[in-house]
Amino acid sequence: MSIELKNITKQFGAVAAVNQVTFSVQEGELMALLGPSGGGKTTVLRMIAGLEVPTSGDILIRGQRVNELSVQQRNIGFVFQNYALFKNMNVFKNIAFGLKIKKWKRRDIKARVAELVSLLGLEGLEKRYAHQLSGGQRQRVAIARALAPKPSVLLLDEPFGAVDAKIRQELREWLVTLHHELSVTTIFVTHDQEEAMEVSNRIVIFSKGDLEQIGTPREVYEQPANEFVARFIGVMNVLDTEVKAGVARVGELQFGTPNQPDGARLRIGFRPYAVQVSTDVNLFPYRAVLHRTYFLGIMLRLEFELASGLVLRSRMTKEEYAQLGLEDGKEVSLQIRNYRILATEEAALPPERQSAYQPPPSIAENI
Amino acid sequence: MAGNVPQVNRQATAKSQRGTEESPLVKWLLVGVCGVFLAVFLLLPLVNVFAQALVKGWQVYWASLHEPDSVSAIKLTLLIAVIVVPLNTLFGVCAAWAIAKFEFRGKSLLITLIDLPFAVSPVVAGLIYIIMFGLQGYFGPWLDKHDIQIIFAVPGIALATIFVTFPFVARELIPVMQATGREQEEAALTLGASGWKTFWHVTLPSVKWGLLYGIILCNARAMGEFGAVSVVSGHVSGVTNTMPLHVEKLYNEYQGPAAFAVASLLALLALVTLGLKSLLEWKQQRDYQRAQVSAAETVAGPKSA
């Protein structure tokens, strides 16, 4: 067990930025802390680093309680959101800084820096200053600097936040490769669910200081523990319905919900992929009109308007779209293959009652 | 249709130019007023200082600077600067650090207090120390008994000068430190650096131009201060007269050329200060632009060097 957090709470004044959070990270794991901004994920990262002190609870690194250890003693590598490269030092000196502080011999420093420079593809940039580097290069220098003193854990705060979309994609793939090569325990913070899904082995999802769920990308997508996770990970159609004779209804839509009393209000959710479309208007139970098509590259996002005025979101590939011969304004019929109850009127349903939900194979295929 | 578009644009541009720009006459009138004003009230007197100092030739100029009382005044002024500038630099760095990096109760009060010397007349600053340490003052009798002289001696002059000059370094550093933020320092901490090493290797280099700028302004004021020093010095020629006080004394004794000779040194100090100030501002500006450029490139992608 590389890192353990036990009942960690952090109060800023009267506000609990982090509330009774417990989770652990395995040795060599690549873990994402995911959540909307203000969710407490950066605070958790900073507490692991020792840059913030938890109000209560314990933090263990490799079995050792580190609450009382200062930042300097924790042997962590930290990559800041804006990289925080030392402006007055060149790339070489930035990477060598931690080694110099630890009083490494000159020769060893040179060798270690050279090793990192080649590992991170920074050859020829040693003499440059931060302002002479591109965003991607700066980030790699920051990672090299953090890795130089051989930390037991690498922590990254929004590592891809400060670069544009194209470089972000390269850096994601590159981080996965790097982690694969070094297999140093890595935790990174992100607010981008796609990024977390793509890069990490496991995801910890935070909202308003509470830990909502921990799991692999597939687990949190297919078996969300609650409504927040279900809506935060991936796109979801969400409808408020009322139960009548074991069927939850809204507009013309009907969802079978056995064991629910008449008059109960349920929130029903389903993924865009669960909406099945046919141009044969009599094939599926619901009539709809293709209201609008958004081209997102290979995938298209479609909005269907039902006769009752409800709008459902769906997704399909360009090929499917072409095959069906769809266009805006076209009349179609729909069915909803899979759905889940997100919440009753009062509160989120406890997770175990959601087990009735069977993730359809098509969802996994479409991701 | 398409042919009309550029014309519309041209019209719009022409109008907006007429709308925002005054006629050349107004422009030159304003520039002219500023020029004449500066020439008459600033440049001419400055040139006059040097002219008057040299009115009886280099020999007299040189001699009046070598006269024992003048030498003593110059030495005392340098001594005061050597005492005051390091102390206020230390204080300024501490205060700027506290204000820029921490949140605490009474922060705004501290900021206000730092500005106090700018708001209060230097004479009052001098009188404060007379009331405190003068013979009739609170600590006067005790000091007298122990044979410690503060007022009408070097310590009093130093105290008054510290009071008058202490905002300069802090005032320059606070915005620079606030702009730099905590991240670089935190990065140094995570790499194992102690607080002191972080300060020495990371904080100080990133604020060096602002710090130097503050020190230069502080130094200029410390050497040139008249009011506060005049109250506490006692005007003992050759002992407690600083350069500004000495200039006044010489002038009152109708030694025009000698007065202007010493004054020319102070004027020279001002010119050097302005020169250094411009240089440092230029350097700061350059660093800032570099930071801007690199921030822009972070978004724009790799740059071919």
mmCIF file of all heavy atoms in Angstrom, chain A residues 251-255 274-278 280-288 306-307 312 332-337:
data_model
loop_
_atom_site.group_PDB
_atom_site.id
_atom_site.type_symbol
_atom_site.label_atom_id
_atom_site.label_comp_id
_atom_site.label_asym_id
_atom_site.label_seq_id
_atom_site.Cartn_x
_atom_site.Cartn_y
_atom_site.Cartn_z
ATOM 1 N N GLY A 251 -44.348 12.491 -19.981
ATOM 2 C CA GLY A 251 -44.762 12.622 -21.363
ATOM 3 C C GLY A 251 -45.282 11.280 -21.851
ATOM 4 O O GLY A 251 -46.027 10.601 -21.143
ATOM 5 N N GLU A 252 -44.863 10.872 -23.043
ATOM 6 C CA GLU A 252 -45.290 9.557 -23.523
ATOM 7 C C GLU A 252 -44.347 8.440 -23.093
ATOM 8 O O GLU A 252 -44.597 7.271 -23.342
ATOM 9 C CB GLU A 252 -45.435 9.558 -25.053
ATOM 10 C CG GLU A 252 -44.139 9.803 -25.819
ATOM 11 C CD GLU A 252 -43.910 11.281 -26.119
ATOM 12 O OE1 GLU A 252 -43.761 12.065 -25.152
ATOM 13 O OE2 GLU A 252 -43.873 11.655 -27.311
ATOM 14 N N LEU A 253 -43.219 8.815 -22.454
ATOM 15 C CA LEU A 253 -42.228 7.809 -22.084
ATOM 16 C C LEU A 253 -42.688 6.998 -20.880
ATOM 17 O O LEU A 253 -43.299 7.535 -19.960
ATOM 18 C CB LEU A 253 -40.882 8.461 -21.760
ATOM 19 C CG LEU A 253 -40.203 9.200 -22.911
ATOM 20 C CD1 LEU A 253 -38.895 9.817 -22.448
ATOM 21 C CD2 LEU A 253 -39.952 8.244 -24.078
ATOM 22 N N GLN A 254 -42.393 5.700 -20.913
ATOM 23 C CA GLN A 254 -42.759 4.809 -19.822
ATOM 24 C C GLN A 254 -41.577 3.926 -19.476
ATOM 25 O O GLN A 254 -40.903 3.391 -20.358
ATOM 26 C CB GLN A 254 -43.924 3.913 -20.248
ATOM 27 C CG GLN A 254 -45.137 4.722 -20.663
ATOM 28 C CD GLN A 254 -46.359 3.876 -20.838
ATOM 29 O OE1 GLN A 254 -46.263 2.637 -20.842
ATOM 30 N NE2 GLN A 254 -47.504 4.505 -20.974
ATOM 31 N N PHE A 255 -41.310 3.838 -18.165
ATOM 32 C CA PHE A 255 -40.217 2.999 -17.705
ATOM 33 C C PHE A 255 -40.754 2.034 -16.668
ATOM 34 O O PHE A 255 -41.357 2.475 -15.686
ATOM 35 C CB PHE A 255 -39.109 3.842 -17.069
ATOM 36 C CG PHE A 255 -38.552 4.897 -17.987
ATOM 37 C CD1 PHE A 255 -39.091 6.191 -18.007
ATOM 38 C CD2 PHE A 255 -37.507 4.600 -18.855
ATOM 39 C CE1 PHE A 255 -38.594 7.150 -18.851
ATOM 40 C CE2 PHE A 255 -37.004 5.564 -19.706
ATOM 41 C CZ PHE A 255 -37.551 6.843 -19.715
ATOM 42 N N ALA A 274 -28.101 4.511 -25.202
ATOM 43 C CA ALA A 274 -29.242 3.647 -24.924
ATOM 44 C C ALA A 274 -30.441 4.020 -25.789
ATOM 45 O O ALA A 274 -31.416 3.280 -25.847
ATOM 46 C CB ALA A 274 -29.614 3.734 -23.450
ATOM 47 N N VAL A 275 -30.380 5.151 -26.453
ATOM 48 C CA VAL A 275 -31.499 5.571 -27.303
ATOM 49 C C VAL A 275 -31.320 4.920 -28.672
ATOM 50 O O VAL A 275 -30.352 5.198 -29.385
ATOM 51 C CB VAL A 275 -31.534 7.109 -27.453
ATOM 52 C CG1 VAL A 275 -32.673 7.526 -28.371
ATOM 53 C CG2 VAL A 275 -31.675 7.765 -26.091
ATOM 54 N N GLN A 276 -32.262 4.036 -29.013
ATOM 55 C CA GLN A 276 -32.166 3.321 -30.282
ATOM 56 C C GLN A 276 -33.101 3.990 -31.292
ATOM 57 O O GLN A 276 -34.243 4.319 -30.965
ATOM 58 C CB GLN A 276 -32.552 1.856 -30.081
ATOM 59 C CG GLN A 276 -31.802 0.936 -30.990
ATOM 60 C CD GLN A 276 -32.039 -0.512 -30.624
ATOM 61 O OE1 GLN A 276 -32.640 -0.811 -29.581
ATOM 62 N NE2 GLN A 276 -31.580 -1.414 -31.448
ATOM 63 N N VAL A 277 -32.594 4.190 -32.490
ATOM 64 C CA VAL A 277 -33.313 4.999 -33.480
ATOM 65 C C VAL A 277 -33.619 4.165 -34.723
ATOM 66 O O VAL A 277 -32.803 3.361 -35.161
ATOM 67 C CB VAL A 277 -32.430 6.206 -33.911
ATOM 68 C CG1 VAL A 277 -33.171 7.096 -34.894
ATOM 69 C CG2 VAL A 277 -31.978 6.985 -32.691
ATOM 70 N N SER A 278 -34.817 4.348 -35.274
ATOM 71 C CA SER A 278 -35.124 3.740 -36.571
ATOM 72 C C SER A 278 -35.871 4.745 -37.426
ATOM 73 O O SER A 278 -36.657 5.558 -36.927
ATOM 74 C CB SER A 278 -35.985 2.495 -36.388
ATOM 75 O OG SER A 278 -36.459 2.078 -37.656
ATOM 76 N N ASP A 280 -37.890 3.717 -39.592
ATOM 77 C CA ASP A 280 -39.228 3.130 -39.716
ATOM 78 C C ASP A 280 -40.061 3.641 -38.546
ATOM 79 O O ASP A 280 -39.862 3.237 -37.403
ATOM 80 C CB ASP A 280 -39.099 1.598 -39.676
ATOM 81 C CG ASP A 280 -40.466 0.924 -39.712
ATOM 82 O OD1 ASP A 280 -41.482 1.651 -39.660
ATOM 83 O OD2 ASP A 280 -40.494 -0.307 -39.779
ATOM 84 N N VAL A 281 -40.969 4.539 -38.809
ATOM 85 C CA VAL A 281 -41.657 5.230 -37.718
ATOM 86 C C VAL A 281 -42.560 4.309 -36.909
ATOM 87 O O VAL A 281 -43.065 4.684 -35.860
ATOM 88 C CB VAL A 281 -42.481 6.436 -38.225
ATOM 89 C CG1 VAL A 281 -41.553 7.545 -38.706
ATOM 90 C CG2 VAL A 281 -43.444 6.021 -39.320
ATOM 91 N N ASN A 282 -42.788 3.083 -37.403
ATOM 92 C CA ASN A 282 -43.638 2.173 -36.652
ATOM 93 C C ASN A 282 -42.852 1.101 -35.899
ATOM 94 O O ASN A 282 -43.432 0.284 -35.202
ATOM 95 C CB ASN A 282 -44.634 1.489 -37.593
ATOM 96 C CG ASN A 282 -45.587 2.518 -38.183
ATOM 97 O OD1 ASN A 282 -46.071 3.389 -37.468
ATOM 98 N ND2 ASN A 282 -45.806 2.442 -39.494
ATOM 99 N N LEU A 283 -41.520 1.113 -36.054
ATOM 100 C CA LEU A 283 -40.725 0.038 -35.454
ATOM 101 C C LEU A 283 -40.660 0.148 -33.929
ATOM 102 O O LEU A 283 -40.895 -0.811 -33.216
ATOM 103 C CB LEU A 283 -39.313 0.052 -36.046
ATOM 104 C CG LEU A 283 -38.413 -1.097 -35.571
ATOM 105 C CD1 LEU A 283 -38.979 -2.447 -36.013
ATOM 106 C CD2 LEU A 283 -36.993 -0.926 -36.103
ATOM 107 N N PHE A 284 -40.350 1.338 -33.432
ATOM 108 C CA PHE A 284 -40.181 1.544 -31.989
ATOM 109 C C PHE A 284 -41.369 2.320 -31.431
ATOM 110 O O PHE A 284 -42.080 3.008 -32.163
ATOM 111 C CB PHE A 284 -38.867 2.283 -31.721
ATOM 112 C CG PHE A 284 -37.642 1.465 -32.086
ATOM 113 C CD1 PHE A 284 -36.604 2.027 -32.808
ATOM 114 C CD2 PHE A 284 -37.551 0.118 -31.705
ATOM 115 C CE1 PHE A 284 -35.476 1.284 -33.132
ATOM 116 C CE2 PHE A 284 -36.422 -0.628 -32.027
ATOM 117 C CZ PHE A 284 -35.389 -0.042 -32.742
ATOM 118 N N PRO A 285 -41.551 2.249 -30.094
ATOM 119 C CA PRO A 285 -42.779 2.791 -29.513
ATOM 120 C C PRO A 285 -42.943 4.321 -29.586
ATOM 121 O O PRO A 285 -44.062 4.803 -29.593
ATOM 122 C CB PRO A 285 -42.731 2.326 -28.064
ATOM 123 C CG PRO A 285 -41.335 1.903 -27.805
ATOM 124 C CD PRO A 285 -40.771 1.467 -29.109
ATOM 125 N N TYR A 286 -41.813 5.082 -29.603
ATOM 126 C CA TYR A 286 -41.985 6.530 -29.497
ATOM 127 C C TYR A 286 -41.679 7.222 -30.822
ATOM 128 O O TYR A 286 -40.648 6.990 -31.434
ATOM 129 C CB TYR A 286 -41.078 7.102 -28.404
ATOM 130 C CG TYR A 286 -41.209 6.378 -27.090
ATOM 131 C CD1 TYR A 286 -40.117 5.731 -26.524
ATOM 132 C CD2 TYR A 286 -42.441 6.342 -26.427
ATOM 133 C CE1 TYR A 286 -40.238 5.062 -25.322
ATOM 134 C CE2 TYR A 286 -42.569 5.667 -25.224
ATOM 135 C CZ TYR A 286 -41.459 5.019 -24.674
ATOM 136 O OH TYR A 286 -41.594 4.360 -23.496
ATOM 137 N N ARG A 287 -42.593 8.115 -31.228
ATOM 138 C CA ARG A 287 -42.355 8.924 -32.426
ATOM 139 C C ARG A 287 -41.561 10.175 -32.052
ATOM 140 O O ARG A 287 -41.814 10.787 -31.018
ATOM 141 C CB ARG A 287 -43.707 9.390 -33.025
ATOM 142 C CG ARG A 287 -44.554 8.279 -33.588
ATOM 143 C CD ARG A 287 -44.096 7.987 -35.021
ATOM 144 N NE ARG A 287 -45.007 7.022 -35.641
ATOM 145 C CZ ARG A 287 -46.062 7.383 -36.371
ATOM 146 N NH1 ARG A 287 -46.347 8.663 -36.565
ATOM 147 N NH2 ARG A 287 -46.838 6.460 -36.912
ATOM 148 N N ALA A 288 -40.598 10.539 -32.887
ATOM 149 C CA ALA A 288 -39.808 11.745 -32.609
ATOM 150 C C ALA A 288 -39.314 12.346 -33.912
ATOM 151 O O ALA A 288 -39.369 11.718 -34.963
ATOM 152 C CB ALA A 288 -38.619 11.406 -31.711
ATOM 153 N N LEU A 306 -39.534 14.626 -28.920
ATOM 154 C CA LEU A 306 -40.705 13.745 -28.904
ATOM 155 C C LEU A 306 -41.957 14.569 -29.143
ATOM 156 O O LEU A 306 -41.941 15.802 -29.039
ATOM 157 C CB LEU A 306 -40.791 13.027 -27.558
ATOM 158 C CG LEU A 306 -39.618 12.088 -27.233
ATOM 159 C CD1 LEU A 306 -39.660 11.664 -25.783
ATOM 160 C CD2 LEU A 306 -39.655 10.879 -28.146
ATOM 161 N N ALA A 307 -43.045 13.853 -29.413
ATOM 162 C CA ALA A 307 -44.314 14.542 -29.662
ATOM 163 C C ALA A 307 -44.703 15.423 -28.477
ATOM 164 O O ALA A 307 -45.249 16.516 -28.640
ATOM 165 C CB ALA A 307 -45.409 13.518 -29.938
ATOM 166 N N LEU A 312 -34.489 14.347 -26.181
ATOM 167 C CA LEU A 312 -33.548 13.307 -25.751
ATOM 168 C C LEU A 312 -32.253 13.427 -26.549
ATOM 169 O O LEU A 312 -32.283 13.712 -27.741
ATOM 170 C CB LEU A 312 -34.137 11.918 -25.989
ATOM 171 C CG LEU A 312 -35.474 11.624 -25.320
ATOM 172 C CD1 LEU A 312 -35.886 10.180 -25.612
ATOM 173 C CD2 LEU A 312 -35.401 11.856 -23.818
ATOM 174 N N VAL A 332 -38.642 9.905 -36.977
ATOM 175 C CA VAL A 332 -38.086 8.606 -36.619
ATOM 176 C C VAL A 332 -38.927 7.990 -35.505
ATOM 177 O O VAL A 332 -39.833 8.629 -34.978
ATOM 178 C CB VAL A 332 -36.634 8.735 -36.098
ATOM 179 C CG1 VAL A 332 -35.705 9.243 -37.170
ATOM 180 C CG2 VAL A 332 -36.594 9.618 -34.861
ATOM 181 N N SER A 333 -38.589 6.727 -35.172
ATOM 182 C CA SER A 333 -39.143 6.148 -33.953
ATOM 183 C C SER A 333 -37.983 5.742 -33.056
ATOM 184 O O SER A 333 -36.888 5.467 -33.538
ATOM 185 C CB SER A 333 -40.034 4.945 -34.278
ATOM 186 O OG SER A 333 -39.256 3.903 -34.808
ATOM 187 N N LEU A 334 -38.239 5.770 -31.731
ATOM 188 C CA LEU A 334 -37.178 5.542 -30.754
ATOM 189 C C LEU A 334 -37.587 4.486 -29.761
ATOM 190 O O LEU A 334 -38.770 4.278 -29.508
ATOM 191 C CB LEU A 334 -36.923 6.814 -29.930
ATOM 192 C CG LEU A 334 -36.567 8.111 -30.608
ATOM 193 C CD1 LEU A 334 -36.526 9.191 -29.555
ATOM 194 C CD2 LEU A 334 -35.244 7.987 -31.312
ATOM 195 N N GLN A 335 -36.561 3.848 -29.170
ATOM 196 C CA GLN A 335 -36.810 3.140 -27.915
ATOM 197 C C GLN A 335 -35.598 3.342 -27.009
ATOM 198 O O GLN A 335 -34.503 3.666 -27.476
ATOM 199 C CB GLN A 335 -37.077 1.659 -28.157
ATOM 200 C CG GLN A 335 -35.855 0.855 -28.542
ATOM 201 C CD GLN A 335 -36.114 -0.631 -28.437
ATOM 202 O OE1 GLN A 335 -37.114 -1.059 -27.869
ATOM 203 N NE2 GLN A 335 -35.214 -1.420 -28.997
ATOM 204 N N ILE A 336 -35.845 3.169 -25.726
ATOM 205 C CA ILE A 336 -34.767 3.329 -24.762
ATOM 206 C C ILE A 336 -34.446 1.963 -24.205
ATOM 207 O O ILE A 336 -35.266 1.339 -23.532
ATOM 208 C CB ILE A 336 -35.172 4.322 -23.657
ATOM 209 C CG1 ILE A 336 -35.315 5.712 -24.293
ATOM 210 C CG2 ILE A 336 -34.135 4.360 -22.556
ATOM 211 C CD1 ILE A 336 -36.345 6.559 -23.648
ATOM 212 N N ARG A 337 -33.245 1.508 -24.536
ATOM 213 C CA ARG A 337 -32.899 0.124 -24.224
ATOM 214 C C ARG A 337 -32.621 -0.075 -22.743
ATOM 215 O O ARG A 337 -33.030 -1.051 -22.154
ATOM 216 C CB ARG A 337 -31.656 -0.293 -25.023
ATOM 217 C CG ARG A 337 -31.997 -0.677 -26.443
ATOM 218 C CD ARG A 337 -30.766 -1.191 -27.127
ATOM 219 N NE ARG A 337 -29.712 -0.167 -27.113
ATOM 220 C CZ ARG A 337 -28.757 -0.096 -28.017
ATOM 221 N NH1 ARG A 337 -28.687 -0.970 -28.989
ATOM 222 N NH2 ARG A 337 -27.855 0.842 -27.966
#
